[in-house]
Amino acid sequence: MELAWLEDFGALIHAGNFSRAAAARCVTQPAFSRRIRALEEWLGAELVDRSTHQMVLTSAGKRFASIAETVLRDIEHGRREVQEIAGTSASMVKILVTHALTLSFFPQWLAALQTKTDTEIPIQLTADNMGTSEQMMLSGKAQFCLCYFHPDAPSVLDGAGFQSISLRSDALVPVSAPRGTGRAPLHALTDDATHPVNMLAYGAESGMDRIVSAMLDATATRGRFTTVFTSHTLILARMAKDAKGLAWLPLSIVADDLQQGALVRAGDAHWDIPVDVRLYRPRGRQSPSAEIFWSLAKA
C-alpha cells in the first residue's frame, strides 16, 4: 500500500468526482482510477459504488474515509514532531484562524498567552474560511483552528478525531446603517415577507454562513431577505456602514460602531445569535511546542 493512495482517496472525497480529483492530484483520470482500484484491491473491499453516475461511497468506503483521514493526519503530525525533536525544523505552531477573528480576537489573545510563559513559541498564522480550514485540519496541515461555534451549525471538527475548548462568548447581531441622523435602521427586520430586506451575506464556505443559515432555517425566515452582496466579515461591516443592507456581524467587532451610531441594531435581541470562540486540535499527541501552546490556552 502506498501513502499516495490514501491521499488520492481523500482528494476523491473532497472533489466529489474522479475528474476533479485527478486534476487536483495532477494525474490523468485513467491513472487516478487505477490508483483507487489498487487501494481497493489492497483493502479487499470496494470503496466507491460505480453503479451510479454520481460519486457515492460504499459502507466500507465511508468507514475507511474516517480511517484514512486519521492515518494521514497522524503521519503528518508525527513527522513534524520527529523533526522538532531531532532539531531539523523550527518548533513552529501552525494555527488556522477564520477571517472574523484575525484582527478582532487573535492578536490580543495571543499576547495574553505569551505573558504566561518565558518561552517564545513561534507562530504561523493562516487566515482562511471555515471550509478550507476544516480540510487543512483533517489532512494534518495545521495543529490548531480558531473559529466561531454554534451548536446548530456543527463542524466536521466536532467529530471524534478532535477536541476543543471555548475561549470566549460572543454574538452575531443584525445591524444596519441608520436612517438619516436617527437611530432607526435603514434596513430593518420586519414580519412583512412581501418586502424582502437587502441582506449582506457570508460566502458558502464560511462558518458564519452556516450559523446564520441555521438560524434562518430554524425560524423559517429566509424568504424575508434578498442577498445583494457576499463576502467575509470585515467587508460586510464596511458595506453595512455604507447603507448597502443588513448583516449579522460579531458584536465584538461592531460594538464601537453601535455606540458611535455608525451602525444600529436592525432588530431586537431575539434576533441575536449567541456563539462561542473555540480552539480546535486533534486528539492525538502533537509536537512538544504544540502541546505547550495547548496547555497555555487551557490555563
Side-chain angles (χ1 to χ4, degrees):
M1 198 279 290
E2 298 180 17
L3 185 62
W5 296 350
L6 299 183
E7 295 171 341
D8 291 339
F9 186 49
L12 178 60
I13 295 169
H14 183 58
N17 66 48
F18 278 82
S19 60
R20 285 200 297 267
R25 296 289 288 160
C26 299
V27 298
T28 65
Q29 185 172 335
F32 183 83
S33 297
R34 287 194 297 271
R35 281 153 57 158
I36 297 297
R37 280 288 191 192
L39 176 61
E40 291 175 318
E41 290 172 5
W42 181 79
L43 287 167
E46 288 195 350
L47 302 175
V48 180
D49 183 355
R50 293 175 175 81
S51 65
T52 66
H53 293 295
Q54 295 181 329
M55 202 290 289
V56 178
L57 296 179
T58 64
S59 297
K62 292 176 182 177
R63 177 67 186 100
F64 189 68
S66 175
I67 295 171
E69 283 179 354
T70 301
V71 169
L72 289 170
R73 186 167 61 246
D74 287 349
I75 288 174
E76 178 63 27
H77 289 155
R79 182 179 70 88
R80 194 177 296 130
E81 181 176 355
V82 168
Q83 288 176 340
E84 185 174 331
I85 292 172
T88 57
S89 71
S91 54
M92 187 74 68
V93 173
K94 297 183 179 181
I95 305 178
L96 301 167
V97 182
T98 51
H99 292 298
L101 295 168
T102 52
L103 295 177
S104 66
F105 177 79
F106 180 79
Q108 300 89 332
W109 173 70
L110 180 62
L113 283 190
Q114 290 177 332
T115 64
K116 300 178 183 179
T117 178
D118 295 328
T119 303
E120 188 73 22
I121 301 177
I123 302 293
Q124 179 181 317
L125 179 148
T126 300
D128 216 316
N129 60 54
M130 191 61 188
T132 300
S133 297
E134 287 171 332
Q135 292 305 313
M136 291 181 69
M137 288 292 287
L138 289 171
S139 62
K141 296 297 187 338
Q143 294 147 309
F144 299 97
C145 179
L146 186 67
C147 59
Y148 278 109
F149 167 83
H150 188 277
D152 291 339
S155 163
V156 296
L157 303 183
D158 292 307
F162 296 88
Q163 58 182 308
S164 67
I165 53 173
S166 177
L167 301 177
R168 189 181 74 177
S169 296
D170 203 343
L172 304 185
V173 298
V175 296
S176 162
R179 185 181 297 278
T181 58
R183 301 293 296 180
L186 180 63
H187 303 277
L189 286 164
T190 70
D191 294 327
D192 185 3
T194 62
H195 294 87
V197 180
N198 286 349
M199 183 173 177
L200 308 173
Y202 296 96
E205 286 294 303
S206 165
M208 305 288 251
D209 178 68
R210 299 179 197 172
I211 294 171
V212 174
S213 292
M215 182 277 295
L216 295 178
D217 291 341
T219 56
T221 54
R222 188 179 292 275
R224 299 184 190 178
F225 303 95
T226 299
T227 299
V228 296
F229 186 80
T230 301
S231 188
H232 60 77
T233 305
L234 299 180
I235 301 298
L236 297 187
R238 178 70 263 174
M239 296 295 285
K241 285 190 280 189
D242 288 345
K244 302 302 183 183
L246 170 154
W248 266 269
L249 296 170
L251 183 58
S252 58
I253 289 178
V254 299
D256 288 345
D257 289 322
L258 289 172
Q259 184 175 4
Q260 295 165 10
L263 290 170
V264 297
R265 282 180 170 268
D268 59 31
H270 91 275
W271 288 100
D272 292 359
I273 308 173
V275 292
D276 280 345
V277 177
R278 286 207 178 184
L279 183 69
Y280 287 86
R281 60 157 291 172
R283 288 191 179 276
R285 178 173 175 78
Q286 302 203 87
S287 69
S289 56
E291 293 298 340
I292 292 172
F293 184 85
W294 179 248
S295 297
L296 292 173
K298 291 194 301 180

